Coordinates of all heavy atoms in Angstrom, one line a residue:
T410 N 33.8 25.4 29.9 CA 33.9 26.7 30.7 C 32.8 27.6 30.4 O 32.3 27.7 29.3 CB 35.3 27.3 30.5 OG1 35.4 28.5 31.2 CG2 35.5 27.7 29.0
Y411 N 32.4 28.3 31.4 CA 31.3 29.2 31.2 C 31.3 30.6 32.0 O 32.3 30.6 32.9 CB 29.8 28.6 31.6 CG 29.8 28.2 33.0 CD1 29.2 29.1 34.0 CD2 30.1 27.0 33.5 CE1 29.1 28.7 35.3 CE2 30.0 26.6 34.8 CZ 29.5 27.5 35.7 OH 29.4 27.2 37.1
F412 N 30.6 31.5 31.6 CA 30.6 32.9 32.2 C 29.3 33.6 32.2 O 28.4 33.3 31.4 CB 31.7 33.7 31.5 CG 31.2 34.4 30.3 CD1 30.6 35.7 30.4 CD2 31.2 33.7 29.1 CE1 30.0 36.2 29.2 CE2 30.8 34.3 27.9 CZ 30.1 35.6 28.0
S413 N 29.2 34.4 33.1 CA 28.0 35.3 33.3 C 28.5 36.7 33.8 O 29.1 36.6 34.7 CB 26.9 34.6 34.0 OG 25.8 35.7 34.3
Y414 N 28.1 37.8 33.1 CA 28.5 39.1 33.4 C 27.4 40.1 33.3 O 26.7 40.2 32.3 CB 29.7 39.6 32.7 CG 30.2 40.9 32.9 CD1 30.8 41.2 34.3 CD2 30.2 42.1 32.1 CE1 31.4 42.4 34.6 CE2 30.6 43.3 32.5 CZ 31.2 43.5 33.7 OH 31.6 44.7 34.1
N415 N 27.2 40.8 34.4 CA 26.1 41.8 34.4 C 26.7 43.2 34.3 O 27.6 43.6 35.2 CB 25.3 41.7 35.6 CG 24.6 40.4 35.9 OD1 24.6 39.6 35.0 ND2 24.1 40.1 37.0
F416 N 26.3 44.0 33.3 CA 26.7 45.4 33.2 C 25.5 46.3 33.1 O 24.9 46.4 32.1 CB 27.8 45.6 32.1 CG 28.1 47.0 31.8 CD1 29.1 47.6 32.8 CD2 27.7 47.8 30.8 CE1 29.4 49.1 32.6 CE2 28.0 49.1 30.6 CZ 28.9 49.8 31.4
Q417 N 25.1 46.9 34.2 CA 23.9 47.7 34.2 C 22.7 46.9 33.8 O 22.6 45.8 34.5 CB 24.1 49.0 33.4 CG 25.1 50.0 33.8 CD 25.3 51.2 33.0 OE1 24.8 51.3 32.0 NE2 26.3 52.1 33.5
N418 N 22.0 47.2 32.7 CA 21.0 46.5 32.3 C 21.2 45.5 31.2 O 20.5 45.0 30.5 CB 19.8 47.4 31.7 CG 19.2 48.1 32.8 OD1 19.1 47.8 34.1 ND2 18.6 49.3 32.5
Y419 N 22.6 45.2 31.0 CA 23.1 44.1 30.1 C 23.6 42.9 30.7 O 24.4 43.1 31.6 CB 24.2 44.7 29.1 CG 23.6 46.0 28.3 CD1 23.7 47.4 28.8 CD2 23.3 45.8 27.1 CE1 23.3 48.3 28.1 CE2 22.7 46.9 26.3 CZ 22.8 48.3 26.8 OH 22.5 49.3 26.1
F420 N 23.1 41.8 30.4 CA 23.5 40.5 31.0 C 24.1 39.5 29.8 O 23.4 39.2 28.9 CB 22.3 39.7 31.6 CG 21.6 40.3 32.7 CD1 20.5 40.0 33.2 CD2 22.3 41.4 33.4 CE1 19.8 40.6 34.4 CE2 21.7 42.1 34.5 CZ 20.4 41.5 35.0
F421 N 25.4 39.5 29.9 CA 26.1 38.6 29.0 C 26.3 37.3 29.6 O 26.7 37.0 30.8 CB 27.4 39.2 28.7 CG 27.5 40.7 28.1 CD1 27.5 41.7 28.8 CD2 27.2 40.9 26.7 CE1 27.3 43.0 28.4 CE2 27.2 42.1 26.2 CZ 27.2 43.2 27.0
F422 N 26.3 36.2 28.7 CA 26.5 34.8 29.3 C 27.0 33.9 28.1 O 26.8 34.3 26.9 CB 25.2 34.3 29.7 CG 24.0 34.4 28.9 CD1 23.7 33.2 28.0 CD2 23.2 35.4 28.8 CE1 22.7 33.2 27.0 CE2 22.0 35.4 27.8 CZ 21.9 34.4 27.0

Side-chain angles (χ1 to χ4, degrees):
T410 179
Y411 62 89
F412 79 95
S413 176
Y414 180 67
N415 303 346
F416 175 71
Q417 296 179 354
N418 291 336
Y419 296 88
F420 294 167
F421 301 91
F422 56 90

